[in-house]
Every structure is written in structure tokens, then in C-alpha cells.
């Protein structure tokens, strides 16, 4: 009897994970989210195929950063005009849109290839507890807890 999972529809089925970001450190949270979006937690993982799951992040406004990053971390972008380098601090970006620091952190941890945009579309981030995907959620615990369960 073969133990291989193979290219079955069940193997590529996408689960929905919910993550509570309240009092969680941004970098550690983003690495776990990126791993789940890529599908590295599955036995069928292939870098060239898109086999990751959906991730719903709640309470994004209560995220933490370590050290002095709250005041000193800068996000830069260029408008492509001369002298168009724009900078915004973490504190200002979080006040403007609390979901954006998480999205930028996860985006930076995904591979820079054609699958990046597709994987980021499966990331749903919400400021508070309420989200419209309550019926889809299969995995009720956070990402770190699911890693512990799968390792046992």
C-alpha cells in the first residue's frame, strides 16, 4: 500500500486558518503566516506550485513590535518623480491603516516570484474581531499552535 499523498484534490485542498494578532510580535507572526501561505506546512509542498492555505488575521491594530521600532522603523517608497522618495514611520502607518504593516511584513517574507501576488490575495487582515469568513474557518487555533499539533 502506497503512503504517498500524490496530486489529489484532497492534498491541494485549501484550509482556512484564523490568527489572533493581539499582543503578538510582528516579525514572528509574519514568518508563520508566510509559511502557511506558501504551503510549507504540508507534505506536498513544492516551491513551484501554489499549495498554500488561506489566512485570516484578526485584531491587527493590537500588534506589537520589539525595541524602538514603534517610533524608528521606516517604510519607504518612491513616486518615480525626481525627489519623490517618501517615508512613513511604523507609528504613522499603523494609525493610517492598521492592516498595512502586517501585509508589508508578510510580503517581504514571501519569495519574490510570480506566485507572490497570488499568495498575498489569500491573506485577509482585519482591524478587529469581526470578519466575514467565519463559515470558512476550518482551523480554529493560531498558526504556532497548529505547528505544535502537526509535529506531535
Amino acid at each position: 500500500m502506497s503512503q504517498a499523498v500524490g496530486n489529489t484534490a484532497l492534498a491541494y485542498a485549501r484550509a482556512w486558518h484564523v490568527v489572533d494578532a493581539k499582543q503578538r510580535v510582528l516579525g514572528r507572526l509574519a514568518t508563520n503566516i508566510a509559511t502557511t501561505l506558501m504551503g510549507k506546512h504540508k507534505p506536498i509542498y513544492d516551491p513551484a506550485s501554489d499549495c498554500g492555505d488561506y489566512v485570516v488575521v484578526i485584531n491587527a491594530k493590537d500588534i506589537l513590535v520589539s525595541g524602538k521600532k514603534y517610533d524608528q522603523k521606516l517604510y519607504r517608497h518612491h513616486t518615480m518623480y525626481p525627489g519623490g522618495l517618501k517615508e512613513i514611520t511604523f507609528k504613522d502607518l499603523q494609525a493610517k491603516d492598521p492592516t498595512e504593516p502586517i501585509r508589508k511584513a508578510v510580503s517581504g517574507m514571501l519569495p519574490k516570484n510570480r506566485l507572490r501576488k497570488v499568495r498575498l490575495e489569500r491573506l485577509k487582515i482585519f482591524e478587529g474581531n469581526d470578519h466575514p469568513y467565519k463559515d470558512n474557518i476550518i482551523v480554529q487555533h493560531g498558526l504556532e499552535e497548529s505547528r505544535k499539533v502537526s509535529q506531535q
Side-chain angles (χ1 to χ4, degrees):
M1 178 177 236
S2 174
Q3 295 293 322
V5 176
N7 293 333
T8 62
L10 184 60
Y12 281 92
R14 298 191 194 281
W16 285 72
H17 301 263
V18 63
V19 179
D20 190 1
K22 182 178 278 190
Q23 303 299 314
R24 303 274 300 271
V25 178
L26 175 63
R28 292 184 181 270
L29 178 70
T31 55
N32 290 331
I33 292 171
T35 301
T36 304
L37 288 174
M38 286 187 283
K40 282 187 141 185
H41 62 290
K42 295 184 176 183
I44 57 160
Y45 172 70
D46 178 26
S49 67
D50 191 22
C51 58
D53 293 340
Y54 286 88
V55 177
V56 178
V57 180
I58 57 174
N59 294 321
K61 64 179 185 267
D62 299 327
I63 197 83
L64 297 176
V65 287
S66 60
K68 297 180 181 179
K69 292 187 190 101
Y70 187 74
D71 295 316
Q72 294 179 353
K73 182 166 178 56
L74 290 176
Y75 295 97
R76 295 184 175 104
H77 72 278
H78 204 285
T79 63
M80 303 311 278
Y81 284 96
L85 182 65
K86 304 291 183 185
E87 293 179 343
I88 186 169
T89 62
F90 176 83
K91 177 171 52 174
D92 295 335
L93 184 64
Q94 191 175 26
K96 183 178 176 184
D97 183 11
T99 65
E100 200 59 28
I102 296 175
R103 190 174 318 280
K104 286 181 179 290
V106 172
S107 175
M109 292 181 187
L110 289 174
K112 282 62 172 181
N113 57 23
R114 294 180 182 190
L115 293 174
R116 180 193 221 176
K117 186 176 179 182
V118 178
R119 289 171 173 161
L120 279 175
E121 288 173 358
R122 288 198 309 271
L123 176 62
K124 316 293 183 187
I125 307 173
F126 298 97
E127 293 180 31
N129 277 332
D130 298 330
H131 61 88
Y133 303 105
K134 289 184 170 82
D135 296 337
N136 298 349
I137 302 297
I138 296 172
V139 183
Q140 291 292 335
H141 43 72
L143 291 174
E144 289 180 355
E145 296 166 1
S146 66
R147 302 268 188 272
K148 292 176 188 173
V149 171
S150 64
Q151 291 174 357
Q152 292 177 353

